C-alpha cells in the first residue's frame, strides 16, 4: 500500500518515483536503511519511465560501468521471483549490426574490451545476424555483434516490482505530493517543503528525472540536464516477430528494435535532435506525451524500412514522442552535490535509464551509506560539471548534439561541436590565427595541435592520423629546441589561513611543510589509498598555498578539499583558475629563451628543480616554476591573465632564432607518457593506489603528520600488487593505437591501455596501462606482450619502468 499520511520526518527522502527513485529506495532498504520515504508528485512511473521502450544492454565503455550494468541484469532477472510482481524481463539477447568497415572495426575493439570486463560477446557474420533476426536485410552489412546476455523489460512493471521490493523492506512511498522547496541549514540538508507541509530529513536523493535540474535549483544545486523529444513507433503484429526475438540495433541507421506483443517497437537517435524547450517543466506533466512529428522521425523511418523491409507494409499503431533528459556529455549524473551536503543526485539517464537504474540505484545507495563512492565513478560523477554548465541555452544546444551522437560513429579523439568556444585563454585568437585546432575540456578551448596554413584540415579516422606529422614537429621542438604550451586551463585553487597547512598535511601524501616558493607534487588519497587527485602545490607564503590541478578537476578538488576543512579550522579555499594563465616553456633552449626576456638568474643552481620564483618577463611579473610535465628541461610560467598576451609575444619574438614553436595537447600528452608521467582520469583514479601506479615517490609514509589513505598504504606496502602500471611500446611504427586496447600477456587479456601517444624516441606508439592479477608480476624490462588492435594481436614490448634512450 502507498502511504497517505504525511510523516513529519524521515532519515532519507527520495524525490521521484520513476525507475531511478524506486531502484534507489530498493537498494537503500536492501542495505539496511529503515527510515526511507519516497515522494512522487504524480503516481509511480508517471514521468518518463512509463513510456520507455525497455531495451536493456550491458556494454559500457569501462570496467566499473560494465560491472554496474551487469549487476542490473542480474537484478532484473531475479526480481520477479523475489517480489512476485512481473517485470517483463526477457533475456532475448541483442544483435548490433554494422554497415561500414569502420563500425565493424570498432565492434571488434568493443568486443575485446567487453570480454575482458566479463561480458559474453561474439562477432558474427551478416548471415548469422540474419538467422538470429530473420526480418533483417543483411546484404549490405559487414557483420554484427551478438550479446546473448542482453534483454528487455517492461519499464513500468519493472519499476513497480522494485517499488514493491522496497516497500516490503519498510520504505514508505507517498504519491501526489510535490516537493516545492528544500530546507537547508549552514549548507546542509534539513528537509523538504511540500504543499501539504514540511518533512525534516538528514538526506535527500534527487531522482526527479527531467525535473531534476529545476528541483536542484530550489537548493542551489546544478544538475545540468535538458530534455529532448525522443520517438519510437509501435506496430501491429508482424509475422515472424516473437517474444524472444532479440533486441536489434543498427547504429549506422540510428535505429533500434524490440518485440512487443508480436509487433515491433522501432525508435532511434536522429543525428539532429529536437530539444524540448519547456522551462520549467510543469509538475502536471504526468503520463503525457508530446505531439507526433513525422518530419523529425522521417530519417529513422526511411532507414528502418531499408533495414527491415517488413515495415513498409506493417500497420503502425502509433508514433510515440516522449521527452527524456540528456546531459552535456551523454553520461548520467550521480553523487553528492558539491553545493549542498547530503543532497544526492541520481538522474539524467540519456535514454538508458531502464538499463542503468538497477545498477545506479545500488551505487548511489552505497555512496549515501558509506559517505563516499566505493569505486571510480568519475564518468558519471556530478562533480565533473562546473557551475557554468547550468546555462540553459547551452544545455539545449548540447542536448541536440548528445542525443544525436548516441548511435553515431564515434571517432577517436572526436570533439563535441556545440557551445564552443566558451572558456578561452587570452591567446585564443592569436593561436587560432597560427593554425591551432582546438579541443574542449571542461569548457576550455585548448590547442590540440597546430595545422600548417597550406594543409587541409585533418579528417577523423581509425588509422594513422592526418595530424601526426604536424604534431611530431611540435615534439621535436620540445625535445631539441623550445616549445610553448598554453596550459591556462589548469585548475588553480588558493588555500590560505592559519590552518591551511594542517588541512593540506591531512590531505596530501607528501610533506607540504616545505620552504616558501617550493613546489610539491603529491596525491590526495581516499581511505582506500586510491587517488582522489594528483596535483602540485606551491607554498606561496607560510599560510598561503597555490594548488594546481587538472583542467577537469576544479569542482571535484574544490569539493574534496573543502569538505575536509573542519568547521573550527581557519582555511579559506578559492578557485583562482581565471586569474592566472599558464605558459609552459619546454625544451633544452627554454633557459636561453627566458634569459633573453628576463634579467633574473634562472640557472640550475639558482632555481633548482621544483622551485619557483617571481621574475620579470618583458614588462610583466610572473611566477616561474622549474617543472616539466613533458620531461626534460622547462619552466611553467604563472602569468596574470591581463599580461599573458604581452608575455607570449615577448617570448615568441625572442625565441624566433632559437626555433621556438607553439605546441598543443596531443604533443604534450604523448611526451608525458614518454617521460613516464601519469595522468589523473587515465592512469590514476580512486581505484589505484600509488604502489600500483608506480608512484611511491609521490608519498611519504614518514612525514610528520598523518594523512588520509596512510593506513591503507601501510597495509598495502610490501603486499603483492593487485595490478601494476606498465609502459608498452609497439614494435611496428605503422600501427596506431588510440587507447582502450587490450594488453595481452601469455595469451590472456590482462588489462587495457589507459593512455597512448606517439613517441619520437621509440619511433612508435607508446602507451600505459595496468596489468592485473598474477600478470602484474610477469612484466619486467622489455617483456614481450601483445596489444589487441581492432581485433588483431600485434607485437609490443612492456616495461615496469621504461626509460627511453
Ligand atoms: C521514447 C523513450 C524511449 C526510451 N527507451 C529506453 C530504453 O529502451 N531503455 C532504457 O534504458 N531507457 C529508455 N528510455 C529512457 C528511460 O525512460 C529514462 O531514462 C528513465 O525512465 C528515467 O527514469 P527516472 O526515474 O530518472 O525519471 P522519471 O521516470 O521521469 O521519474 C522522475 C519522477 O520524479 C517525479 N518528480 C519530479 N519532480 C518532483 C517533485 N518536485 N516532487 C515529487 N516528485 C517529482 C516525476 O513526477 C517523475 O515521476 C527511453 C526514454 C524515452 C523517452
Amino acid at each position: 500500500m502507498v502511504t497517505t499520511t504525511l510523516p513529519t520526518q524521515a532519515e532519507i527522502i527520495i524525490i521521484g518515483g520513476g525507475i531511478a527513485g524506486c531502484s534507489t529506495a530498493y537498494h537503500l532498504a536492501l542495505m539496511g536503511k529503515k527510515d526511507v520515504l519516497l515522494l512522487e508528485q504524480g503516481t509511480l512511473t508517471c514521468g518518463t519511465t512509463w513510456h520507455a521502450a525497455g531495451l536493456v544492454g550491458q556494454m559500457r565503455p569501462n570496467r566499473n560501468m560494465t560491472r554496474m550494468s551487469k549487476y542490473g541484469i542480474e537484478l532484473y532477472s531475479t526480481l520477479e521471483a523475489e517480489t512476485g510482481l512481473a517485470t517483463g524481463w526477457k533475456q532475448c539477447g541483442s544483435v548490433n549490426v554494422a554497415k561500414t568497415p569502420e563500425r565493424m572495426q570498432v565492434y571488434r575493439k568493443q568486443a575485446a574490451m567487453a570480454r575482458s570486463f566479463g561480458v559474453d560477446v561474439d562477432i558474427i557474420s551478416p548471415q548469422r545476424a540474419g538467422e538470429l533476426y530473420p526480418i533483417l536485410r543483411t546484404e549490405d552489412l559487414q557483420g554484427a555483434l551478438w550479446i546473448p546476455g542482453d534483454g528487455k523489460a517492461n519499464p513500468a512493471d519493472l519499476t513497480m516490482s522494485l517499488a514493491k521490493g522496497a516497500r516490503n523492506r519498510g520504505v514508505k512511498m507517498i504519491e501526489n505530493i510535490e516537493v516545492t522547496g528544500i530546507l537547508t541549514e549552514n549548507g546542509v540538508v534539513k528537509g523538504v517543503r511540500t504543499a501539504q507541509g514540511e518533512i525534516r530529513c538528514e538526506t535527500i536523493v534527487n531522482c526527479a528525472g527531467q525535473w531534476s535540474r529545476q528541483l536542484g535549483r530550489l537548493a542551489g544545486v546544478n544538475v545540468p540536464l535538458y530534455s529532448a523529444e525522443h520517438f519510437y513507433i509501435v506496430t501491429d503484429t508482424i509475422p515472424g516477430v516473437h517474444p524472444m526475438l532479440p533486441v536489434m540495433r543498427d547504429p549506422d541507421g540510428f535505429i533500434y528494435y524490440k518485440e512487443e506483443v508480436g509487433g515491433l517497437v522501432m525508435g532511434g537517435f536522429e543525428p539532429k535532435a529536437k530539444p524540448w524547450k519547456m522551462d520549467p517543466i510543469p509538475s502536471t506533466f504526468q503520463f503525457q506525451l508530446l505531439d507526433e512529428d513525422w518530419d523529425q522521425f522521417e530519417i529513422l523511418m526511411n532507414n528502418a524500412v531499408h533495414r527491415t523491409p517488413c515495415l513498409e507494409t506493417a500497420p503502425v499503431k502509433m508514433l510515440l514522442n516522449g521527452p527524456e533528459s540528456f546531459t552535456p556529455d551523454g553520461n548520467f549524473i550521480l553523487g553528492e552535490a558539491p553545493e549542498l551536503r547530503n543532497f544526492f543526485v541520481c538522474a539524467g539517464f540519456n535514454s538508458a535509464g531502464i538499463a542503468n537504474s538497477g545498477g545506479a540505484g545500488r551505487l548511489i545507495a552505497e555512496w549515501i551509506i558509506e559517505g563516499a563512492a566505493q569505486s571510480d565513478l568519475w564518468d558519471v560523477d556530478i562533480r565533473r560539471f562546473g557551475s557554468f554548465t547550468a546555462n540553459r541555452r547551452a544545455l539545449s544546444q548540447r542536448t541536440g548534439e548528445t542525443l544525436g551522437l548516441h548511435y553515431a560513429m564515434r571517432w577517436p579523439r572526436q570533439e563535441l561541436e556545440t557551445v564552443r568556444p566558451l572558456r578561452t585563454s587570452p591567446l585564443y585568437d592569436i593561436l587560432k590565427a597560427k593554425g591551432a585546432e582546438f579541443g574542449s575540456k571542461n569548457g576550455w578551448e585548448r590547442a590540440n595541435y597546430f595545422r600548417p596554413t597550406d594543409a587541409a584540415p585533418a579528417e577523423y579516422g581509425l588509422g594513422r592520423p592526418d595530424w601526426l606529422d604536424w604534431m611530431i614537429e611540435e615534439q621535436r621542438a620540445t625535445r631539441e629546441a623550445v616549445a610553448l604550451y598554453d596550459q591556462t586551463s589548469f585548475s588553480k585553487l588558493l588555500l590560505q589561513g592559519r590552518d591551511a597547512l594542517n588541512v593540506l598535511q591531512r590531505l596530501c601524501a607528501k610533506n607540504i611543510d616545505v620552504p616558501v616558493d617550493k613546489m610539491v607534487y603529491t596525491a590526495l588519497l581516499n581511505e582506500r589509498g586510491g587517488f582522489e587527485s594528483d596535483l602540485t602545490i606551491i607554498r606561496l607564503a607560510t599560510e598561503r598555498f597555490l594548488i594546481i590541478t587538472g583542467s577537469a578537476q576544479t569542482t571535484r578538488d574544490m569539493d574534496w578539499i573543502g569538505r575536509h576543512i573542519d568547521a573550527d579550522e581557519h582555511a579559506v579555499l578559492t578557485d583562482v583558475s581565471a586569474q592566472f594563465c599558464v605558459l609552459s616553456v619546454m625544451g633544452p633552449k627554454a633557459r636561453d629563451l627566458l634569459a633573453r626576456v628576463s634579467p633574473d638568474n634562472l640557472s640550475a643552481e639558482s632555481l633548482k628543480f621544483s622551485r619557483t620564483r617571481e621574475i620579470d618577463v618583458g614588462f610583466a611579473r610572473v611566477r616561474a616554476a622549474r617543472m616539466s610535465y613533458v620531461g626534460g628541461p622547462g619552466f611553467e610560467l604563472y602569468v596574470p591573465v591581463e599580461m599573458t598576451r604581452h608575455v607570449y609575444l615577448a617570448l615568441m619574438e625572442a625565441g624566433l632564432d632559437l626555433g621556438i614553436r607553439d605546441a598543443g595537447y596531443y604533443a604534450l600528452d604523448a611526451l608525458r607518457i614518454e617521460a613516464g608521467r601519469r595522468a589523473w582520469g587515465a592512469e590514476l583514479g580512486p581505484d589505484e593506489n600509488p604502489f600500483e601506479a608506480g608512484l611511491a615517490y609521490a608519498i611519504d609514509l614518514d612525514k610528520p603528520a598523518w594523512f588520509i589513505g596512510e593506513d591503507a598504504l601501510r597495509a598495502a606496502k610490501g603486499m603483492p600488487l593487485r595490478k601494476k602500471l606498465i609502459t608498452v611500446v609497439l614494435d611496428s611504427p605503422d600501427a596506431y593505437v588510440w587507447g582502450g586496447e587490450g594488453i595481452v600477456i601469455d595469451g590472456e587479456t590482462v588489462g587495457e591501455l589507459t593512455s597512448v601517444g606517439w613517441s619520437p624516441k621509440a619511433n612508435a606508439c607508446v602507451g600505459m596501462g595496468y596489468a592485473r592479477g598474477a600478470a602484474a608480476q610477469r612484466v619486467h624490462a622489455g617483456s614481450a606482450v601483445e596489444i589487441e588492435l581492432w581485433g588483431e594481436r600485434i607485437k609490443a614490448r612492456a616495461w615496469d619502468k621504461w626509460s627511453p634512450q
Side-chain angles (χ1 to χ4, degrees):
M1 271 300 286
V2 170
T3 310
T4 45
T5 47
L6 195 67
T8 54
Q9 63 178 58
E11 183 186 348
I12 302 174
I13 292 181
I14 298 167
I15 305 169
I19 190 162
C22 291
S23 176
T24 302
Y26 174 86
H27 286 96
L28 282 168
L30 191 68
M31 292 177 203
K33 284 290 168 192
K34 298 270 175 265
D35 189 11
V36 179
L37 175 65
L38 184 148
L39 304 177
E40 164 56 52
Q41 65 192 4
T43 49
L44 298 184
T45 79
C46 74
T48 304
T49 296
W50 70 277
H51 59 62
L55 284 69
V56 178
Q58 298 167 78
M59 290 227 314
R60 297 287 177 271
N62 67 42
R63 203 170 283 272
N64 285 348
M65 288 294 109
T66 308
R67 191 178 297 141
M68 176 198 78
S69 57
K70 280 183 68 185
Y71 164 77
I73 283 189
E74 280 159 37
L75 173 67
Y76 296 169
S77 55
T78 53
L79 193 64
E80 182 171 341
E82 179 197 322
T83 64
L85 268 193
T87 58
W89 170 250
K90 286 200 173 55
Q91 200 143 22
C92 53
S94 77
V95 178
N96 302 271
V97 302
K99 194 174 162 195
T100 64
E102 291 83 5
R103 173 81 66 182
M104 205 57 221
Q105 245 177 295
V106 170
Y107 276 177
R108 290 204 177 86
K109 178 172 175 178
Q110 288 175 342
M113 201 185 260
R115 278 189 211 110
S116 97
F117 298 162
V119 178
D120 189 11
V121 189
D122 275 332
I123 295 284
I124 57 174
S125 65
Q127 189 201 351
R128 176 75 185 127
E131 286 162 17
L132 288 163
Y133 205 78
I135 55 174
L136 185 69
R137 182 195 294 264
T138 58
E139 69 264 17
D140 59 347
L141 294 180
Q142 300 288 325
L145 264 183
W146 164 236
I147 311 171
D150 279 1
K152 58 182 178 177
N154 180 327
D157 290 350
L158 179 60
T159 306
M160 295 310 277
S161 198
L162 284 165
K164 182 160 186 220
R167 285 201 298 260
N168 286 347
R169 291 184 169 82
V171 174
K172 297 187 190 69
M173 297 188 173
I174 306 183
E175 296 182 324
N176 299 309
I177 181 166
E178 181 188 355
V179 172
T180 54
I182 306 293
L183 310 177
T184 67
E185 217 172 272
N186 298 328
V188 183
V189 158
K190 280 292 166 245
V192 299
R193 184 176 305 120
T194 75
Q196 288 95 314
E198 290 182 359
I199 312 171
R200 310 291 283 183
C201 68
E202 292 168 21
T203 299
I204 289 174
V205 198
N206 175 355
C207 296
Q210 62 178 347
W211 292 263
S212 296
R213 176 166 51 85
Q214 61 203 53
L215 182 71
R217 215 163 44 208
L218 293 177
V221 168
N222 176 27
V223 185
L225 50 77
Y226 204 88
S227 294
E229 302 187 19
H230 189 33
F231 306 86
Y232 61 72
I233 54 163
V234 184
T235 75
D236 225 326
T237 51
I238 296 176
V241 173
H242 56 86
M244 285 308 281
L245 188 72
V247 159
M248 202 274 280
R249 298 183 187 86
D250 172 10
D252 294 313
F254 320 117
I255 47 178
Y256 63 77
Y257 297 75
K258 182 197 113 170
E259 177 278 340
E260 201 170 277
V261 232
L264 288 176
V265 165
M266 185 283 291
F269 300 89
E270 64 280 16
K272 268 201 173 356
K274 198 176 161 198
W276 186 41
K277 296 186 174 158
M278 175 60 71
D279 188 22
I281 299 171
S283 58
T284 50
F285 192 84
Q286 298 167 17
F287 293 117
Q288 286 188 44
L289 295 170
L290 305 176
D291 292 342
E292 288 186 351
D293 185 344
W294 282 99
D295 288 343
Q296 183 72 14
F297 197 70
E298 190 181 358
I299 183 170
L300 305 180
M301 195 65 206
N302 288 343
N303 290 345
V305 167
H306 170 82
R307 186 58 58 217
T308 47
C310 62
L311 278 185
E312 209 161 349
T313 48
V316 173
K317 289 200 286 195
M318 72 177 300
L319 169 58
L320 180 144
N321 179 7
E324 157 73 340
S325 57
F326 290 79
T327 62
D329 61 4
N331 283 330
F332 61 89
I333 304 177
L334 204 72
E336 187 179 3
E339 300 93 338
L340 181 62
R341 291 284 167 264
N342 299 344
F343 188 91
F344 289 81
V345 179
C346 177
F349 281 98
N350 299 278
S351 78
I354 307 307
N356 283 324
S357 285
R362 178 162 88 160
L363 293 173
I364 198 72
E366 275 174 4
W367 198 325
I368 292 166
I369 290 169
E370 302 296 334
Q374 294 305 291
S375 57
D376 185 349
L377 301 179
W378 179 232
D379 280 1
V380 294
D381 192 319
I382 191 168
R383 294 169 299 174
R384 70 193 188 276
F385 294 116
S387 56
F388 67 92
T389 57
N391 180 286
R392 280 165 284 174
R393 188 160 172 226
L395 281 172
S396 157
Q397 285 191 15
R398 180 54 69 79
T399 288
E401 186 179 15
T402 51
L403 183 150
L405 285 173
H406 204 73
Y407 278 2
M409 177 75 187
R410 298 297 282 270
W411 301 99
R413 306 213 174 179
Q414 187 174 342
E415 295 285 345
L416 294 173
E417 289 171 5
T418 51
V419 196
R420 296 182 55 193
L422 183 58
R423 307 173 82 188
T424 55
S425 133
L427 303 180
Y428 177 79
D429 292 322
I430 298 179
L431 300 184
K432 195 171 173 59
K434 291 172 89 175
E437 294 289 351
F438 291 91
S440 169
K441 186 115 184 189
N442 198 11
W444 282 101
E445 293 295 320
R446 315 189 311 173
N448 282 335
Y449 56 86
F450 289 79
R451 173 164 62 93
T453 37
D454 54 350
E459 304 272 345
Y460 288 129
L462 303 180
R464 188 182 166 91
D466 295 346
W467 44 258
L468 187 64
D469 291 338
W470 313 328
M471 185 205 69
I472 287 174
E473 289 307 312
E474 297 168 21
Q475 294 182 323
R476 185 169 295 141
T478 313
R479 290 288 182 248
E480 294 171 13
V482 57
L484 214 147
Y485 294 84
D486 181 1
Q487 292 192 265
T488 295
S489 67
F490 267 142
S491 304
K492 296 143 224 134
L493 317 177
L494 190 68
L495 186 71
Q496 49 191 338
R498 272 193 313 280
D499 296 312
L501 177 63
N502 284 346
V503 172
L504 289 178
Q505 287 292 57
R506 197 163 63 238
L507 293 181
C508 298
K510 263 264 200 246
N511 187 11
I512 307 300
D513 194 3
V514 293
V516 168
D517 287 341
K518 189 162 165 47
M519 190 177 215
V520 183
Y521 170 67
T522 186
L524 305 187
L525 302 175
N526 55 37
E527 284 174 0
R528 294 176 287 127
F531 285 87
E532 288 297 319
S533 188
D534 78 320
L535 37 76
T536 48
I537 298 179
I538 302 173
R539 190 170 202 177
L540 297 174
T542 314
E543 295 179 351
R544 205 146 53 91
F545 298 85
L546 183 65
I547 300 164
I548 300 121
T549 178
S551 309
Q553 286 145 252
T554 326
T555 310
R556 183 190 177 95
D557 289 358
M558 284 284 288
D559 178 64
W560 183 261
I561 298 169
R563 69 171 52 233
H564 285 101
I565 301 174
D566 293 343
D568 58 351
E569 280 181 318
H570 180 252
V572 180
L573 183 65
T574 315
D575 176 9
V576 294
S577 303
Q579 287 181 24
F580 299 98
C581 293
V582 182
L583 298 184
S584 296
V585 187
M586 296 292 145
K589 296 186 179 163
R591 186 172 287 116
D592 296 349
L593 172 61
L594 284 176
R596 293 180 179 190
V597 290
S598 176
D600 292 274
N601 181 358
L602 295 174
S603 67
E605 302 73 44
S606 170
L607 188 67
K608 296 201 164 47
F609 186 72
S610 82
R611 292 291 177 147
T612 76
R613 179 181 301 157
E614 286 217 343
I615 63 167
D616 289 357
V617 172
F619 301 128
R621 290 287 288 170
V622 312
R623 178 172 289 273
R626 227 187 105 208
M627 177 59 68
S628 164
Y629 189 50
V630 292
F635 298 86
E636 286 174 358
L637 305 181
Y638 292 82
V639 189
V641 166
E642 69 279 17
M643 292 181 220
T644 300
R645 184 175 177 280
H646 167 76
V647 169
Y648 172 84
L649 293 176
L651 288 166
M652 276 293 162
E653 194 186 342
L656 273 184
D657 62 318
L658 294 175
I660 192 167
R661 225 189 155 99
D662 294 292
Y665 271 80
Y666 286 180
L668 180 115
D669 197 46
L671 292 175
R672 67 96 185 159
I673 298 171
E674 197 181 72
R677 307 273 195 273
R678 283 74 167 135
W680 196 89
E683 291 72 53
L684 310 179
D687 295 344
E688 285 79 38
N689 75 35
F691 301 126
E692 294 159 345
L695 282 181
Y697 72 85
I699 61 169
D700 180 359
L701 290 175
D702 298 322
K703 71 178 240 189
W706 175 89
F707 60 91
I708 298 175
E710 179 177 333
D711 303 344
L713 292 190
R714 286 192 185 280
K717 196 176 175 196
M719 302 296 282
L721 298 177
R722 295 170 304 173
K723 55 184 170 182
K724 182 163 73 173
L725 192 71
I726 58 174
T727 302
V728 175
V729 182
L730 302 195
D731 281 8
S732 165
D734 297 323
Y736 206 88
V737 284
W738 292 98
E741 292 83 2
I743 303 170
V744 181
I745 297 181
D746 298 335
E748 183 199 349
T749 305
V750 299
E752 53 285 342
L753 294 174
T754 48
S755 291
V756 293
W758 179 263
S759 163
K761 287 192 180 154
N763 192 37
C765 280
V766 294
M768 291 181 178
Y770 283 93
R772 291 162 196 275
Q777 314 312 324
R778 295 207 294 274
V779 173
H780 301 291
S783 308
V785 299
E786 290 171 304
I787 295 299
E788 282 192 298
L789 180 57
W790 308 121
E792 277 179 34
R793 293 189 171 176
I794 58 165
K795 288 190 177 1
R797 307 236 149 235
W799 278 258
D800 51 358
K801 288 187 187 66
W802 187 53
S803 37
Q805 301 310 310

